[in-house]
Amino acid sequence: MNTVLIFTIAAGGLWILTYLLLIYRGFRDRKCGMPFAALCGNITWEYIFSFIFPVPGPGIYIIYIWFLLDIIILIQFLLYSRDDLPKPLSHQLFLPTLVVSLATAFSLHYFIALEFSNFTGVYSAYGLNLMMSILFVHLRLSRNHLLGQSMTIAICKLAGTVFASLVSYALYPTSVLLLLLYILVFFFDLLYVILLHAKKKDLDSRLAPL
C-alpha cells in the first residue's frame, strides 16, 4: 500500500470521526456544532463529487459516508440550532435562507470544477475547508459555551486536514494556491484548538470549588 493511499485513508477516517463526534455532541448537548455556512458547503460538495463528478478510486466511498453523516448534522441543525441565525432568518425566512444557501454553495462548487477542469474537487474543497476553519474560530468566539464542540473534534479536524494536505501536495506539488490554502487552514485549525482549550480552562476554573 503506497503512502498516498495510506494518508488518504487516514484523512478520510479522521474526518469521519470528526463528523461522528459532532453528531454525538449534537444529540447530547442538543446543539449543532457545525457552522451553518460550512454545513451548506460540505453537503453540496459531497453531493457533487459523489453523484455528478464522482471522484475515482476508493476515496468515493469516504465521500459517500461524509454525505450521509452531513445529512444527520443538517437534521441536527434544523432541530436544535435555527435560533443561532439572526432572528428574521431563523423564523419567517429560514427555509428560503436554507434553499438559497444550498443553491449558492452548489453553484460555486460546480462552476469552480468546470472553470479549473478539476473534477476531483480539490480547489473548492480547500477553499471550503478554509472557510470552515475560520467559521469554527468565529463559533468559539461568538458563543459563551462549548455546547456541540469538543477538543477531540478540533484535534481530529486538524489532524485529518494535515493528512489530506499531504495527499494533495503529493498530487499537486506545483500549485502555489493550494500550498497557501494548506498553511491557512492549518493556522486557523490550530487557533481553534488553542481558543477551545483556553475556554475549557476558563469554564473549569469557574466550576472549581473555592
Side-chain angles (χ1 to χ4, degrees):
M1 188 179 292
N2 63 49
T3 303
V4 170
L5 182 57
I6 292 171
F7 283 2
T8 299
I9 293 171
L14 284 163
W15 267 89
I16 288 170
L17 181 58
T18 301
Y19 283 145
L20 289 172
L21 290 169
L22 277 166
I23 290 168
Y24 167 74
R25 290 288 299 217
F27 283 125
R28 195 195 78 168
D29 297 343
R30 302 180 67 82
K31 198 76 169 176
C32 181
M34 184 177 288
F36 175 68
L39 177 57
C40 293
N42 278 348
I43 202 166
T44 51
W45 186 94
E46 290 150 4
Y47 179 83
I48 288 172
F49 295 101
S50 290
F51 305 109
I52 298 177
F53 305 129
V55 301
I60 188 67
Y61 300 105
I62 294 173
I63 298 175
Y64 287 154
I65 296 171
W66 290 347
F67 179 65
L68 292 173
L69 294 175
D70 261 328
I71 289 175
I72 299 173
I73 296 173
L74 177 59
I75 292 169
Q76 287 186 330
F77 186 87
L78 295 174
L79 290 174
Y80 305 136
S81 296
R82 287 174 58 160
D83 288 340
D84 287 343
L85 296 174
K87 282 296 181 283
L89 301 183
S90 63
H91 297 286
Q92 303 95 328
L93 298 178
F94 177 73
L95 288 179
T97 300
L98 177 61
V99 171
V100 170
S101 299
L102 290 171
T104 300
F106 180 94
S107 300
L108 286 170
H109 293 316
Y110 183 82
F111 287 107
I112 287 172
L114 293 181
E115 179 75 16
F116 289 92
S117 297
N118 184 254
F119 300 106
T120 59
V122 64
Y123 288 103
S124 56
Y126 280 97
L128 170 63
N129 205 351
L130 176 59
M131 180 189 75
M132 190 186 323
S133 298
I134 294 171
L135 287 175
F136 269 111
V137 170
H138 177 264
L139 187 72
R140 166 72 295 285
L141 294 175
S142 62
R143 288 181 176 178
N144 196 34
H145 58 74
L146 296 180
L147 297 177
Q149 305 172 75
S150 76
M151 184 63 70
T152 309
I153 292 170
I155 291 172
C156 285
K157 181 190 182 307
L158 185 151
T161 300
V162 167
F163 280 112
S165 298
L166 292 172
V167 171
S168 294
Y169 181 75
L171 298 175
Y172 304 92
T174 61
S175 175
V176 177
L177 172 60
L178 287 175
L179 179 61
L180 175 64
L181 289 171
Y182 308 150
I183 294 169
L184 290 174
V185 171
F186 178 78
F187 170 79
F188 283 104
D189 280 352
L190 184 61
L191 178 60
Y192 179 58
V193 169
I194 293 169
L195 292 172
L196 206 64
H197 177 69
K199 184 63 177 179
K200 187 175 184 305
K201 282 184 64 176
D202 178 55
L203 292 175
D204 289 345
S205 67
R206 294 183 194 180
L207 294 174
L210 299 176

